[in-house]
Amino acid sequence: MKSAKPYIQENKQRFIDELIELLKIPSISADSAYKNDVIKTAEVVKESLEKAGCDLVEICETPGYPIVYGEKIIDKKLPTILVYGHYDVQPPDPIDLWDSPPFEPVIKTTDLHPEGAIFARGSCDDKGQMYMHVKALEFMTQTNQLPCNVKFMIEGEEEVGSESLGWFVERNQEKLKNDVILISDTGMIAPDVPSITTGLRGLSYVEVEVTGPNRDLHSGLYGGAVANPINILTKMIASLHDENNRITIPGFYDNVDDLTDAERAKMAEAPFSKEAYRSAIDIEDIYGEKGYTTNERNSIRPTLDVNGIWGGYIGEGAKTVIASKAYAKISMRLVPNQDWKEITKLFKNHFKSIAPNAVKVKVTPHHGGQAYVTPIDSLGYRAAEKAYETTFGETPIPQRSGGSIPIVALFEKELKSKTILMGFGLDSDAIHSPNEHFGIWNFLKGIETIPQFYAEFTKLSE
Ligand code: BES
Ligand code: MN
Ligand code: MN
């Protein structure tokens, strides 16, 4: 495979302009007010795949948002790469904290992106990273170098749990048959420290509701004599961690896969600066489970976090009231061997058991998924390693990430193939946050590296 560099240099401006057009459509899957925009985005993705050289592109209807499927099959005897990505994005709020409107992309330089970064919701997660694959395919077809078959499966519900994708994969095993799955929806350590993501955490997401009296009460007339659901809820939540920041739910750690000392030592070789970590998010000190490093805490260890909590009076001024109800949304990040359905059950039983009789507790599970780890001796991993060596001039570091792409474990179960996570975002790119951005250098480096993966994977498969 010839280097894509000259082709990228020639077409750079057009690539950026096309991505900017895609980023202008607010494909927010969580908010039904944007339904038409989500569907329109699927259309735009379809057209881009057609232009990039796919022979067949379809909008596949599902019970939810459509899945864009595309393929270019050049020879049944050659290996097939299945590219997965998502065209939906997170809601942009809190919108006031954006320096420019989330769906009016602008290019600005930052310390980590001296060549400029595109600021827009979805720029890094995942439209920008997904589009690298479309442009990599364009390069390979335009220069007659596509070495193997390729299938694309781009969904519109990743940010809300990928329910329809599970439905789709179960029903289309033959259509989706492949030799390796390739995803760019994660990050890398730093521009000069290439890394390949080898693990994703699982997830269990629940909502809890604590009910006290049947109506809001005067906090003077009743205060002290009835259970205040907000007091109780916060006390219950606080009890979910002990003094070492370990989770107190009985059985929670039972199946956790512990790493060997050798594996932990290997992990500790990845460059990490506590100072830089602290200052980037403006905290005085780090915090977490006793006995583990920051990198371990946010990748190989399970967690429990409150994502939102509400109840009572939050309007202007003061209102003396004991609310009838209090609520919280809680997520648990899981590691290999923890079963998310089992953990959800453990949480539910425990949370109900610690509630005093004075309140009623309801626990509603949302979505979840299993953790994933990929071996570093698979064909796919070795091909990715070689691809990075060619374009970065350095061997990439395997890195387990703290984020989740729950569908990846399901791919392995249903399609029986390994997933390679070639992410090009940086942790500081602010995905899910205001001012999300994606470096132009990263975008172009991805387009350059992906075709090398195709070539190496095809060679290793011979
Ligand atoms: N692309 C992210 C996941 C990610 C980001 C993994 C960076 C590793 C590094 C994905 O879009 C995402 O946000 N996933 C959700 C889970 C989903 C069920 C909403 C997450 O991790 O919170
Ligand atoms: Mn994503
Ligand atoms: Mn996301």
Side-chain angles (χ1 to χ4, degrees):
M1 179 80 55
K2 284 196 214 110
S3 168
K5 257 189 177 161
Y7 188 85
I8 292 170
Q9 218 39 50
E10 243 167 73
N11 294 283
K12 176 179 161 180
Q13 197 52 51
R14 176 173 57 84
F15 289 178
I16 295 168
D17 293 343
E18 288 174 10
L19 175 57
I20 284 177
E21 286 310 306
L22 187 63
L23 291 169
K24 284 183 185 168
I25 322 173
S27 50
I28 307 164
S29 51
D31 188 343
S32 58
Y34 294 89
K35 189 171 176 205
N36 291 337
D37 292 301
V38 182
I39 292 168
K40 178 158 180 246
T41 308
E43 287 292 341
V44 174
V45 172
K46 175 178 185 260
E47 282 160 28
S48 75
L49 283 171
E50 282 163 350
K51 280 198 201 128
C54 279
D55 295 331
L56 167 77
V57 190
E58 309 169 328
I59 299 264
C60 304
E61 296 302 333
T62 72
Y65 284 123
I67 288 161
V68 186
Y69 174 82
E71 64 176 38
K72 186 166 180 71
I73 308 293
I74 55 171
D75 182 346
K76 288 244 155 67
K77 292 192 287 295
L78 287 168
T80 301
I81 295 174
L82 174 66
V83 176
Y84 161 82
H86 62 94
Y87 64 80
D88 65 322
V89 302
Q90 283 277 327
D93 51 275
I95 203 132
D96 296 346
L97 298 183
W98 283 78
D99 295 331
S100 55
F103 298 104
E104 292 171 29
V106 292
I107 297 174
K108 282 187 294 189
T109 58
T110 72
D111 287 349
L112 285 168
H113 299 296
E115 292 177 43
I118 306 179
F119 282 74
R121 171 57 86 228
S123 54
C124 180
D125 183 13
D126 179 43
K127 284 172 174 168
Q129 297 212 65
M130 176 270 288
Y131 209 64
M132 298 182 314
H133 288 268
V134 180
K135 293 299 102 178
L137 175 66
E138 177 193 305
F139 159 70
M140 290 183 282
T141 56
Q142 287 293 315
T143 57
N144 291 314
Q145 294 189 86
L146 183 66
C148 60
N149 306 311
V150 57
K151 296 176 177 174
F152 276 78
M153 175 170 66
I154 313 297
E155 72 153 318
E157 288 179 17
E158 197 278 339
E159 300 293 7
V160 291
S162 297
E163 233 177 275
S164 300
L165 186 65
W167 178 93
F168 182 77
V169 170
E170 278 163 29
R171 281 164 184 74
N172 290 281
Q173 268 141 333
E174 195 48 43
K175 184 188 190 106
L176 300 172
K177 219 167 150 307
N178 65 80
D179 297 284
V180 70
I181 298 169
L182 185 60
I183 303 180
S184 296
D185 192 22
T186 56
M188 59 194 280
I189 295 176
D192 55 346
V193 190
S195 55
I196 298 173
T197 304
T198 51
L200 294 164
R201 283 195 286 195
L203 185 70
S204 164
Y205 202 109
V206 299
E207 186 163 329
V208 299
E209 178 191 292
V210 173
T211 307
N214 63 358
R215 59 183 167 89
D216 289 7
L217 301 174
H218 188 290
S219 69
L221 294 182
Y222 288 92
V226 298
N228 177 330
I230 302 176
N231 293 10
I232 302 284
L233 173 64
T234 51
K235 203 163 146 181
M236 287 166 71
I237 288 172
S239 80
L240 295 175
H241 288 94
D242 71 11
E243 68 282 7
N244 294 324
N245 283 317
R246 275 177 72 88
I247 295 153
T248 55
I249 300 169
F252 187 84
Y253 292 98
D254 278 4
N255 296 322
V256 166
D257 241 348
D258 284 318
L259 265 64
T260 61
D261 288 346
E263 283 171 306
R264 290 180 70 185
K266 186 101 195 100
M267 256 191 91
E269 283 171 21
F272 176 76
S273 152
K274 191 164 128 182
E275 290 315 301
Y277 190 84
R278 283 197 309 106
S279 75
I281 48 177
D282 207 2
I283 52 171
E284 282 302 313
D285 203 359
I286 51 168
Y287 187 88
E289 186 183 357
K290 197 175 169 190
Y292 294 93
T293 66
T294 296
N295 272 341
E296 290 173 337
R297 287 170 179 167
N298 66 26
S299 66
I300 60 164
R301 298 300 294 165
T303 62
L304 183 151
D305 277 295
V306 178
N307 295 257
I309 183 163
W310 69 104
Y313 182 71
I314 54 164
E316 198 183 327
K319 180 187 180 194
T320 47
V321 67
I322 294 174
S324 164
K325 285 175 187 290
Y327 308 83
K329 289 182 193 281
I330 297 175
S331 68
M332 289 162 276
R333 296 281 170 174
L334 309 176
V335 298
N337 219 29
Q338 281 184 300
D339 179 60
W340 77 271
K341 289 193 172 147
E342 180 63 32
I343 292 291
T344 306
K345 228 185 276 166
L346 290 179
F347 176 90
K348 190 170 180 170
N349 292 341
H350 177 67
F351 206 68
K352 289 188 154 206
S353 79
I354 59 174
N357 282 337
V359 297
K360 293 188 209 62
V361 171
K362 198 162 108 190
V363 177
T364 311
H366 274 271
H367 52 263
Q370 309 293 63
Y372 183 74
V373 259
T374 195
I376 60 170
D377 56 2
S378 70
L379 278 193
Y381 189 88
R382 278 160 42 214
E385 201 169 46
K386 287 211 158 111
Y388 281 80
E389 280 167 0
T390 304
T391 59
F392 285 80
E394 235 170 289
T395 303
I397 299 175
Q399 183 207 25
R400 275 171 63 169
S401 170
S404 308
I405 311 177
I407 205 71
V408 172
L410 192 104
F411 287 160
E412 179 146 321
K413 183 165 163 260
E414 298 285 339
L415 305 174
K416 313 270 180 289
S417 40
K418 296 269 173 260
T419 291
I420 302 302
L421 299 154
M422 293 180 33
F424 291 89
L426 302 181
D427 280 356
S428 54
D429 286 348
I431 63 171
H432 293 208
S433 302
N435 302 315
E436 175 178 355
H437 54 281
F438 188 36
I440 287 170
W441 182 88
N442 303 63
F443 176 57
L444 301 177
K445 206 68 182 168
I447 302 172
E448 186 190 335
T449 308
I450 291 162
Q452 298 301 327
F453 174 83
Y454 279 55
E456 299 293 349
F457 187 77
T458 308
K459 240 191 278 169
L460 288 174
S461 301
E462 270 165 14

